[in-house]
Amino acid sequence: MQEGIIQQSLSGFYDIISDGQLYRTRGRGNFRKKGIKPLVGDHVEFEDGYLLAIEPRKNQLVRPLVANVDDAVVVTAATQPTFSSNLLDRQLIALELQKVEPILFFSKVDLLNEDEFQHLKSVADGYRKIGYSVYFNAQPFNKTDLQNLLDQLKGKVVTMMGQTGAGKSTLLNHLSPELDLPTGAISQALKRGRHTTRKVTLLNVDDALIADTPGFSSYEDFTMTKEQLPQLFPEMRAIAPECKFRGCLHLKEPGCAVKTAVEHGKIMQTRYDNYVQFQELIKSQKPKY
Ligand SMILES: Nc1nc2c(ncn2[C@@H]2O[C@H](COP(=O)(O)OP(=O)(O)OP(=O)(O)O)[C@@H](O)[C@H]2O)c(=O)[nH]1
Ligand SMILES: [Zn+2]
């Protein structure tokens, strides 16, 4: 019996990567009977061309459909499209909910003027202070950053995440030039063309397995409860014990340490404003039955 990770699945076959080697396997018949669908990213046991067992998953993303994701590189354009802290925070809370470690990578910083650069730099520093690892550089694809990122991703299952045109494929090509992924308008056209047959593949990048994920134009993923939401903001989670009331949602409650921290500039105002908006969105959602 061997162990490995499913790298891609194609009409009933599962390609498994094990010790740097690729093995094509078929699912065992009783998976389907039990309603188990092997997923890309699954840790599995296999023998003689048959996938035999799937280990319990630590998480399971929907877009892309990948299991056991460790890290997500959130690629955010500094401009073109305009930077939105709201969109960034939506992605971060979705990842926090799934226990995926976000890594923030700012692309297109080279297109900013000096004022814009200074402003976004302070934003990037704000996220760094929260505890996120942040790549923000006037030359987005410089050697040092790329090497640090590769080191950080070593041995992990990773997804790329970000708006259409943010620069996900461009970053992957810099991390691993032999991938030669289509970018820009060409990438758009190809993705539209093969929309229905799109499959998820984990790309071998150095020692990481990375899923290149199609970009999105808007992001709505508020599956968390109003009580969970403050837990998904690490800087609020850290301060919440100082709030007067247990279970404080940091909205209208008196003696709220989070609101005080916002007033004192210890928590970013944009993060708090986005938090309040997300609470409203969760509240206004129709219950799903
Ligand atoms: N100047 C500059 N251009 C960039 C940078 N990153 C990406 N681009 C350009 O932005 C365009 C979109 O980049 P892609 O890598 O295709 O973006 P993507 O996130 O993969 O987009 P989707 O595949 O639609 O999700 C391309 O024309 C890139 O050349 C950057 O850091 N600086
Ligand atoms: Zn509070």
Side-chain angles (χ1 to χ4, degrees):
M1 192 111 76
Q2 278 177 281
E3 290 178 12
I5 292 177
I6 300 182
Q7 188 186 22
Q8 63 176 1
S9 81
L10 258 178
S11 43
F13 289 98
Y14 300 95
D15 289 344
I16 297 172
I17 192 159
S18 173
D19 277 333
Q21 291 247 51
L22 208 58
Y23 301 86
R24 178 151 291 186
T25 65
R26 298 188 69 102
R28 207 165 56 167
N30 64 357
F31 282 142
R32 198 178 313 166
K33 270 181 240 147
K34 286 190 199 150
I36 301 169
K37 194 173 158 27
L39 290 181
V40 168
D42 267 332
H43 296 267
V44 297
E45 290 175 359
F46 66 103
E47 193 165 46
D48 299 332
Y50 278 92
L51 202 170
L52 300 177
I54 303 172
E55 286 174 29
R57 294 167 185 149
K58 92 166 180 187
N59 59 30
Q60 181 177 330
L61 304 197
V62 177
R63 197 170 57 177
L65 193 54
V66 178
N68 302 314
V69 177
D70 299 302
D71 292 2
V73 181
V74 180
V75 180
T76 301
T79 181
Q80 300 179 23
T82 312
F83 169 71
S84 158
S85 74
N86 193 282
L87 191 57
L88 176 56
D89 289 340
R90 286 175 188 226
Q91 296 172 79
L92 294 180
I93 59 169
L95 293 170
E96 293 279 351
L97 187 67
Q98 292 279 3
K99 307 226 179 308
V100 176
E101 175 92 27
I103 296 169
L104 283 64
F105 188 98
F106 285 90
S107 62
K108 308 194 190 181
V109 183
D110 53 301
L111 300 179
L112 299 177
N113 67 32
E114 185 56 26
D115 284 352
E116 293 167 334
F117 179 86
Q118 289 307 333
H119 170 68
L120 208 58
K121 187 174 182 299
S122 71
V123 172
D125 285 340
Y127 282 95
R128 215 169 263 140
K129 243 186 253 160
I130 294 169
Y132 291 121
S133 70
V134 179
Y135 291 83
F136 178 88
N137 202 300
Q139 285 89 42
F141 308 109
N142 68 82
K143 268 209 172 112
T144 313
D145 279 0
L146 291 172
Q147 191 53 54
N148 288 341
L149 185 54
L150 283 176
D151 290 345
Q152 192 171 3
L153 299 181
K154 226 168 218 130
K156 292 180 170 163
V157 171
V158 180
T159 66
M160 305 300 283
M161 191 173 190
Q163 226 175 342
T164 296
K168 297 178 291 300
S169 306
T170 303
L171 172 58
L172 278 172
N173 283 340
H174 277 94
L175 289 171
S176 179
E178 63 267 29
L179 288 175
D180 199 19
L181 300 168
T183 60
I186 310 161
S187 151
Q188 302 295 311
L190 284 176
K191 275 175 190 161
R192 266 193 295 275
R194 59 169 191 226
H195 200 73
T196 45
T197 55
R198 211 191 139 73
K199 61 177 173 56
V200 186
T201 302
L202 293 175
L203 305 165
N204 240 314
V205 176
D206 225 25
D207 268 331
L209 290 172
I210 308 185
D212 183 18
T213 317
F216 51 80
S217 51
S218 65
Y219 198 84
E220 300 267 340
D221 187 13
F222 296 100
T223 51
M224 66 290 291
T225 64
K226 66 178 196 299
E227 290 80 15
Q228 274 175 321
L229 187 66
Q231 304 294 325
L232 307 178
F233 285 72
E235 73 276 45
M236 296 187 189
R237 199 167 59 213
I239 285 185
E242 293 163 36
C243 290
K244 186 169 173 197
F245 297 104
R246 270 225 284 170
C248 182
L249 294 179
H250 323 310
L251 295 168
K252 301 253 154 68
E253 298 92 335
C256 172
V258 166
K259 276 192 290 179
T260 307
V262 175
E263 281 157 25
H264 294 170
K266 288 190 183 128
I267 286 180
M268 290 160 89
Q269 184 73 47
T270 55
R271 292 270 294 170
Y272 183 72
D273 292 345
N274 291 334
Y275 170 79
V276 173
Q277 191 215 22
F278 300 162
Q279 280 291 13
E280 290 297 318
L281 285 168
I282 291 169
K283 202 167 80 182
S284 67
Q285 266 173 358
K286 292 196 185 81
K288 293 188 188 89
Y289 299 105

